[in-house]
Amino acid sequence: MTARFRLARRVSQAVAALLALAVFASLPARAKQDGASDKAGSSAGGKGDGQEGGKSDKQKDVDTEHLFGFTEGADAGEKGEQEVVVDTVTRLSKRRDGPGPSTYRVLDTRFAYQFNPIDRFSVELSAFGNLRRQRNIVDLDDKSFGTFDGVSVELKYQFLKGSAEQPLGLAIEVRPRFTRVLPIEGNGANIFDMESLLQLDVQVVPDKIWYGSNISFEPAAGRQRGSGEGYRSSTFLWSNAVVGRIAEKTFLGPEVRYLRGYDGIFLNRLESEALFIGPALHHRFTEKAWLTLAYGAQVWGRDTDPAYARRALGLNQFERHNLRVKFGMEF
């Protein structure tokens, strides 16, 4: 069995485990829900109908867009809604180059404003900052700086909205971006990339458990400043998460992400692949303010460079650890 088939099997098993966890957890929840329905049915008919209608409204209030950690939910909002977001992804640890201490720490921070000109269509304007420190890392120069790292526009349209009656949510998002820093090397550059993202979520158990999945393709092209050397790369992502309501305003669950990094803008030559697993937490402080936390550790990966054929993990294009902290306010 080839390495590619073994990896596909591992990813499929991880996703199957997430879904199995959701189904297992749904059994007592469904029993409890059925019991509550029976109790409501034994009451006066008008009162029982009113209670069910009220619960359905509550279920529709859960916004899945920021529910899943690194994975994005399908919800896009309604006309007139606005939101501000501060989103920081910290990338930590790469392969050390020789003896002595080594450091690789990059904080990518996004400041965003989102608005909805029409129902189920959102426009998000973002500005990025890059703060990094890298020292004694294979194939990378020592650097320590913080700088402005470009802008982006995110356009999202939601085709289906999940509810208790129709649990599937589906959306497509495109994210054109101009960036001034190469994401791995940290060199100055003028780069344009265009991420295309398919977002899906399902209410596995209404108002209890949600499943989210993303498939993403992101080509990037440009030139490094100074040397004028060309830059071409592309990334494929498949992410999956299951979260459950553990308190009235708190959601927690596991997340699995599989990434492939390529040289060339059309997935031309594979350089690295990696599998990340970790928890995702979402909490709403109020109806309008929320926080999402997510952590991913690289548990499997490989580099195609022959020099690292026997080395664990895919560290040419990815890191050992990712941490996401995202805070938002709606108005």
Side-chain angles (χ1 to χ4, degrees):
M1 184 179 293
T2 67
R4 182 173 297 179
F5 288 149
R6 286 198 299 270
L7 174 62
R9 185 179 65 179
R10 290 180 184 179
V11 175
S12 300
Q13 288 173 344
V15 174
L18 290 177
L19 293 175
L21 176 64
V23 173
F24 178 77
S26 73
L27 297 178
R30 287 187 183 277
K32 183 177 180 180
Q33 189 178 34
D34 292 342
S37 299
D38 292 341
K39 184 179 291 186
S42 64
S43 305
K47 183 177 180 181
D49 293 342
Q51 288 175 338
E52 286 201 5
K55 185 168 184 179
S56 179
D57 290 340
K58 180 181 177 183
Q59 292 165 0
K60 294 178 182 178
D61 286 340
V62 175
D63 185 348
T64 64
E65 182 177 9
H66 309 290
L67 196 61
F68 301 106
F70 290 95
T71 305
E72 302 284 343
D75 278 353
E78 304 301 326
K79 182 178 179 179
E81 292 183 355
Q82 301 177 75
E83 182 177 66
V84 291
V85 176
V86 180
D87 181 8
T88 298
V89 175
T90 303
R91 300 181 282 122
L92 300 168
S93 186
K94 278 185 170 292
R95 191 171 285 119
R96 184 173 60 183
D97 184 19
S102 67
T103 299
Y104 187 84
R105 181 173 63 250
V106 180
L107 279 72
D108 296 310
T109 299
R110 179 173 65 96
F111 302 92
Y113 166 68
Q114 177 181 299
F115 64 95
N116 289 69
I118 60 174
D119 290 347
R120 301 189 183 184
F121 176 70
S122 67
V123 179
E124 191 164 19
L125 308 176
S126 300
F128 294 82
N130 182 276
L131 177 65
R132 71 170 59 220
R133 178 176 173 79
Q134 56 194 54
R135 178 185 177 190
N136 197 22
I137 300 297
V138 171
D139 296 332
L140 301 184
D141 296 330
D142 293 352
K143 294 178 182 293
S144 180
F145 65 84
T147 188
F148 170 67
D149 191 23
V151 295
S152 75
V153 178
E154 301 182 7
L155 307 173
K156 179 176 180 178
Y157 183 75
Q158 183 178 12
F159 295 94
L160 295 173
K161 181 173 177 61
S163 67
E165 295 76 21
Q166 194 288 109
L168 176 64
L170 182 66
I172 289 180
E173 185 169 2
V174 293
R175 300 171 174 173
R177 176 183 173 183
F178 169 74
T179 184
R180 302 177 63 250
V181 179
L182 294 184
I184 302 301
E185 298 87 345
N187 298 336
N190 296 311
I191 304 296
F192 178 79
D193 68 58
M194 171 73 80
E195 183 178 12
S196 301
L197 191 66
L198 177 66
Q199 302 162 337
L200 176 148
D201 59 56
V202 180
Q203 289 195 44
V204 180
V205 179
D207 204 38
K208 296 290 184 183
I209 298 175
W210 290 259
Y211 164 72
S213 182
N214 292 169
I215 295 177
S216 166
F217 168 60
E218 183 177 6
R223 290 191 177 278
Q224 298 187 44
R225 289 196 298 274
S227 68
E229 182 180 351
Y231 176 83
R232 301 287 187 276
S233 72
S234 51
T235 304
F236 172 82
L237 162 73
W238 180 33
S239 65
N240 300 270
V242 173
V243 298
R245 186 193 292 272
I246 61 173
E248 182 180 357
K249 297 181 180 180
T250 305
F251 306 81
L252 178 67
E255 183 174 30
V256 176
R257 296 181 299 137
Y258 171 58
L259 297 97
R260 294 170 68 90
Y262 292 83
D263 178 28
I265 60 174
F266 296 112
L267 308 179
N268 302 86
R269 184 174 66 84
L270 180 65
E271 291 190 332
S272 299
E273 55 184 335
L275 182 68
F276 289 84
I277 296 179
L281 172 71
H282 178 75
H283 177 74
R284 281 196 170 264
F285 301 102
T286 67
E287 183 181 352
K288 300 295 185 180
W290 51 265
L291 176 71
T292 298
L293 302 174
Y295 167 73
Q298 190 177 158
V299 297
W300 180 91
R302 70 183 181 97
D303 294 321
T304 58
D305 188 333
Y308 308 114
R310 297 184 180 275
R311 303 290 293 274
L313 306 181
L315 298 177
N316 279 357
Q317 296 296 312
F318 308 109
E319 300 76 32
R320 286 187 171 91
H321 308 281
N322 292 168
L323 175 66
R324 187 176 199 176
V325 180
K326 184 162 59 168
F327 174 76
M329 293 190 66
E330 304 163 3
F331 55 95

